[in-house]
Amino acid sequence: MQEKDKTDNEGRLVVSLAEKLGIAANAANIYGKPIERDGVTIVPVARAAYGFGGGAGTKDKEGGSGGGGGVSMTPVGYIEIKEGNTRFRSIRDPQSTVKIVAIGSLFAYLTAKTITAIFSPNDKKKGKKHKKK
């Protein structure tokens, strides 16, 4: 019967973690409180990602359990409501711009290097003298 109690406790631990993280990543946090100014209403929008884990084990008739989790909320844009019309406006992530510039720069460098290698004389031919026919 003691083994069943451990299993029940482990299950409760995981359910408790899931509930607490679910509360943190609810719709009120993903869609922020509307802000109204001069006839325009703005509703902030965020992306939420969360995860959790837990476990338990026994060794030499001693048991233990633990768990943890986390929530990440990233702003992605806002909903603009004006004169009965609604539209979503995205917010560009500066980190994605840096990644695009870095990848583009690397691609340009490799392309230039390849073109230079194609049109430059081959090192093997430099040491050889060519006979005129």
Side-chain angles (χ1 to χ4, degrees):
M1 192 67 172
Q2 192 175 13
E3 190 66 34
K4 185 178 183 324
D5 290 339
K6 287 182 192 176
T7 304
D8 289 344
N9 286 337
E10 293 164 10
R12 281 191 288 253
L13 172 68
V14 172
V15 169
S16 174
L17 280 171
E19 287 173 352
K20 288 178 182 176
L21 289 173
I23 290 169
N26 64 26
N29 290 331
I30 294 170
Y31 296 100
K33 293 181 181 179
I35 302 163
E36 188 174 344
R37 295 247 163 48
D38 299 326
V40 178
T41 303
I42 301 293
V43 180
V45 180
R47 176 183 303 130
Y50 62 99
F52 64 92
T58 58
K59 182 177 180 183
D60 299 330
K61 297 184 180 182
E62 292 183 19
S65 63
V71 176
S72 171
M73 310 258 316
T74 307
V76 294
Y78 58 92
I79 298 170
E80 180 183 89
I81 306 167
K82 182 178 180 180
E83 298 173 356
N85 296 318
T86 303
R87 68 178 170 179
F88 176 77
R89 305 279 234 159
S90 65
I91 298 173
R92 298 206 184 269
D93 180 13
Q95 290 180 355
S96 66
T97 304
V98 169
K99 291 174 189 173
I100 290 169
V101 169
I103 291 169
S105 298
L106 178 63
F107 179 74
Y109 168 75
L110 293 174
T111 302
K113 188 175 177 181
T114 302
I115 291 171
T116 305
I118 289 171
F119 290 109
S120 68
N122 194 345
D123 289 340
K124 292 179 184 176
K125 291 182 182 177
K126 283 183 182 178
K128 297 180 183 177
K129 292 184 181 179
H130 296 284
K131 295 180 186 177
K132 288 187 180 181
K133 294 185 180 180

